[in-house]
Amino acid sequence: NGNIGGVFNLANNGGVFSYSQTSGPNPWSQVNNGLPMTWLRTNTVALDRGTGDFVVAAFSREEQLDSASAGLYVYNGTNWRRIAADVFTSSVNITSIVVSPAIDNLSFAVGTAQRGVFVTTDGGDHFTQWSSQLPSLAVNLPTIFRVTALNWESDRLLVAMPSWGLFISDDGGQTFRVSRIRVLKNLDAASDTTTVLPTLNDFSVQADSPDHIVAALVQHGAFESIDGGVSWQDLYGNLVVPLPGAPTAWQHSAIDIVFDAADPQIIVMGVSQKGLYRTAD
């Protein structure tokens, strides 16, 4: 009862935690300095780390992750600061963030649920939007340009939009080429050779061979490129194969995929229907 002067936080849970290998009893600490303390929630929607303490993250502030977008923030090691508030408004849902491996922390890309990908080369002061102007092979122009996967290794930026295509930039996001990745629509019918553009959830690039890329696909497991995304072949192995009498049994949706840093023959993939898979060949 009564009046309160000012504002205070009731439920600022979540946000960002940082792990430090110390001898203390709790190596985890909350890193929310500079974030508004009036949000119902502090949900970390996407995050990537650059050189040193530099971090770029997107937050939302309600009970659902994909509602009430709170914008794009950068962290300098001490405080969070919102950037490009006129670009990443409350109506723009961010899906993914990747920071360029360059040591200056000036270049990063931001994928959205509706408006394609945005690329900055000056630390977020200015962004270039890429959506309908990308060189797609799709027949029909979509109304929503949803980015489902991003990866930035060396000078190569990979951007996947399920309704539009897989796009590759070899010059840090200044220009893009389209990749001709396609999958068979129906593996149950041997005579059906119809191919479609897949939905990609993740990429991994071999550390010492940037032209070697693996991708995690919805329904189709993993695909591989050894020429920087120019061509692709499936890595079905013994996993994504038709089963007589069991239609759609071959559908395995890969959520994440990663090379073993010490041995590129070892690949680990998370499959939404059946758990974690590993190959050594």
Side-chain angles (χ1 to χ4, degrees):
N1 299 312
N3 297 319
I4 296 175
V7 294
F8 68 99
N9 172 56
L10 292 177
N12 189 46
N13 55 1
V16 180
F17 280 75
S18 176
Y19 179 85
S20 177
Q21 291 182 325
T22 65
S23 58
N26 184 10
W28 286 97
S29 59
Q30 200 167 21
V31 185
N32 286 347
N33 300 338
L35 297 180
M37 293 291 100
T38 53
W39 297 347
L40 176 64
R41 299 283 190 271
T42 304
N43 305 313
T44 306
V45 178
L47 179 149
D48 196 26
R49 185 170 185 170
T51 303
D53 293 325
F54 182 77
V55 180
V56 185
F59 300 100
S60 64
R61 58 181 182 270
E62 297 293 342
E63 294 186 0
Q64 302 299 319
L65 286 176
D66 58 355
S67 64
S69 174
L72 187 68
Y73 287 74
V74 294
Y75 183 72
N76 60 8
T78 304
N79 291 288
W80 289 96
R81 175 177 60 89
R82 187 175 183 180
I83 62 171
D86 59 329
V87 176
F88 302 104
T89 64
S90 60
S91 63
V92 178
N93 294 324
I94 294 172
T95 60
S96 48
I97 296 170
V98 288
V99 179
S100 165
I103 62 173
D104 56 15
N105 294 326
L106 293 177
S107 299
F108 47 91
V110 180
T112 67
Q114 308 99 340
R115 301 178 58 196
V117 65
F118 293 77
V119 181
T120 180
T121 58
D122 58 12
D125 290 338
H126 305 89
F127 280 89
T128 300
Q129 180 185 8
W130 293 93
S131 55
S132 61
Q133 70 272 46
L134 288 166
S136 176
L137 300 175
V139 176
N140 298 316
L141 180 70
T143 57
I144 295 176
F145 298 88
R146 178 177 179 84
V147 176
T148 57
L150 281 177
N151 182 279
W152 201 329
E153 300 287 341
S154 185
D155 288 330
R156 181 172 292 133
L157 173 61
L158 302 166
V159 182
M161 302 183 199
S163 60
W164 198 226
L166 168 58
F167 305 97
I168 303 173
S169 173
D170 296 307
D171 54 13
Q174 297 182 54
T175 60
F176 283 87
R177 56 185 169 90
V178 64
S179 174
R180 294 181 177 274
I181 186 170
R182 306 283 289 186
V183 296
L184 288 172
K185 183 177 181 180
N186 182 11
L187 292 182
D188 287 316
S191 60
D192 189 352
T193 58
T194 303
T195 61
V196 295
L197 177 69
T199 297
L200 295 94
N201 285 325
D202 191 29
F203 300 104
S204 184
V205 179
Q206 184 180 333
D208 58 352
S209 181
D211 283 342
H212 189 192
I213 308 167
V214 288
L217 280 62
V218 172
Q219 298 184 352
H220 289 270
F223 266 57
E224 174 189 50
S225 175
I226 59 174
D227 54 16
V230 176
S231 61
W232 295 83
Q233 52 275 345
D234 68 65
L235 291 182
Y236 288 168
N238 62 342
L239 182 62
V240 185
V241 293
L243 183 63
T248 72
W250 53 270
Q251 294 184 359
H252 289 68
S253 295
I255 302 300
D256 294 282
I257 193 165
V258 64
F259 280 108
D260 186 314
D263 184 355
Q265 288 293 310
I266 298 175
I267 304 171
V268 180
M269 173 175 61
V271 178
S272 62
Q273 296 94 335
K274 294 187 176 181
L276 197 63
Y277 283 80
R278 177 183 182 273
T279 179
D281 58 3

